[in-house]
Amino acid sequence: MRVATWNVNSVKQRIPRLLPWLDERRPDVVCLQETKLSDDAFHEALGADLAERGYEIAHAGQGQWNGVALLSRVGLDDVRVGFDGMPGYPDPTTLEARAVSAVCGGLRIYSLYVPNGRTPDSDHYTYKLEWLAALADAVDEPATTLLCGDINIAPADADVFDPDAYAGHTHVTPPERAALARFGTLGLRDVVRDRWPDERIYSYWDYRAGMFHKDLGMRIDLILAGSAAADRVAAAWIDRKARKGTKPSDHAPVIVDLDTAPDGDIGPVVPPPSNPAKPAAAKVKLPQTPE
């Protein structure tokens, strides 16, 4: 079974890339984030094309913001929008479209779009930590769980091109990393990093300043798997090809193959970057860093 997760950053804009990608990679389960469509608009835009390819759909939409989806060719049972105790923003009653899960191929698979956090001194950062804590509390059967999506946290310094460039920013702070590490205590494993412990692997590159072409990125799109899936991993990789070319998302898909690997155990990033900048020499400021 092939499971993929992809923050498409507006699925309507990405349809000309998404459908050919589905035909090329043929994932059995796809988790999408930032669809930026209502449920009706998602089904109107993609329902027929996905049905033709054998996918059942679960979508939690919010119009122009957020939005997550699950596409499955191996069953889509017990669909749940959100999770128990999920906080809202800007107040507890305003629930955002950031989580949907279902049982697919015998596994409870979540498509997640974790709050960004904005800045470490913001109320959105507090919301992010509360959201992650509530998610950890809601995982009731970790062994058969996959948490997939844009987690908006780089697990370690090795997951960003230059730790110094991220000083003072979200995604790398100790509280965020501690919140992410809690899933490890539940038995969920970061299967891409497990498979490639010492490799340079990124899943997101800012559109600005030529970050993608210099391979100045970060790994914030993750698949965290309980033992029922993690013990079956045959390949785990980032489909960098999907980030290249015309009108891409700023994220690349993460793909994990269970039991068998149709493309073989082909490496951590496919294709690998041709001429990545060396962090020590680059000393690049993040585009969002104030002067």
Side-chain angles (χ1 to χ4, degrees):
M1 184 167 76
R2 170 167 283 180
V3 180
T5 183
W6 191 4
N7 180 326
V8 289
N9 191 7
S10 181
V11 73
K12 197 167 186 178
Q13 293 186 40
R14 233 55 70 193
I15 289 173
R17 300 192 59 120
L18 174 63
L19 295 177
W21 177 81
L22 291 172
D23 294 337
E24 178 185 14
R25 297 304 188 192
R26 300 186 59 80
D28 298 294
V29 181
V30 185
C31 303
L32 300 177
Q33 300 86 42
E34 279 203 273
T35 60
K36 298 183 180 179
L37 290 176
S38 68
D39 293 343
D40 288 345
F42 184 91
H43 284 273
E44 181 179 349
L46 278 162
D49 288 317
L50 294 175
E52 182 181 326
R53 290 163 172 80
Y55 289 106
E56 296 180 81
I57 302 169
H59 182 263
Q62 196 180 330
Q64 61 182 320
W65 308 109
N66 306 318
V68 286
L70 266 174
L71 320 177
S72 177
R73 300 194 296 195
V74 291
L76 192 71
D77 302 316
D78 191 18
V79 174
R80 302 176 188 174
V81 174
F83 49 83
D84 289 344
M86 187 176 82
Y89 185 85
D91 62 72
T93 64
T94 307
L95 299 181
E96 297 186 300
R98 292 185 175 275
V100 64
S101 72
V103 176
C104 310
L107 300 168
R108 166 68 57 184
I109 299 180
Y110 288 75
S111 179
L112 302 170
Y113 179 42
V114 174
N116 176 282
R118 299 179 184 169
T119 61
D121 59 353
S122 70
D123 57 354
H124 203 265
Y125 179 84
T126 302
Y127 164 56
K128 178 179 189 175
L129 297 179
E130 292 174 347
W131 198 95
L132 287 162
L135 175 61
D137 289 340
V139 175
D140 54 0
E141 296 183 14
T144 55
T145 295
L146 272 79
L147 303 181
C148 308
D150 180 355
I151 306 302
N152 266 319
I153 301 171
D157 283 355
D159 297 304
V160 297
F161 74 88
D162 180 1
D164 290 342
Y166 288 87
H169 293 271
T170 56
H171 295 61
V172 300
T173 65
E176 290 169 287
R177 287 178 170 171
L180 180 60
R182 184 178 168 198
F183 296 103
T185 69
L186 299 177
L188 300 177
R189 289 152 53 188
D190 179 351
V191 292
V192 171
R193 186 53 81 192
D194 275 2
R195 178 66 189 85
W196 306 102
D198 303 313
E199 300 288 339
R200 177 182 178 123
I201 313 172
Y202 306 135
S203 65
Y204 164 85
W205 300 261
D206 197 292
Y207 285 126
R208 298 167 288 183
M211 302 287 275
F212 176 68
H213 302 290
K214 301 171 188 174
D215 197 35
L216 301 176
M218 61 195 311
R219 191 174 71 94
I220 56 176
D221 303 270
L222 309 177
I223 295 180
L224 307 178
S227 58
D231 292 346
R232 297 163 54 194
V233 171
W237 47 289
I238 309 292
D239 189 0
R240 185 176 170 275
K241 178 182 176 183
R243 177 61 175 80
K244 301 177 72 174
T246 305
K247 295 184 179 179
S249 171
D250 44 3
H251 297 251
V254 182
I255 296 176
V256 169
D257 291 314
L258 305 182
D259 302 323
T260 59
D263 294 289
D265 194 7
I266 56 177
V269 182
V270 180
S274 56
N275 189 28
K278 296 179 180 178
K283 291 301 176 189
V284 173
K285 291 179 71 172
L286 299 184
Q288 65 268 35
T289 302
E291 295 295 335

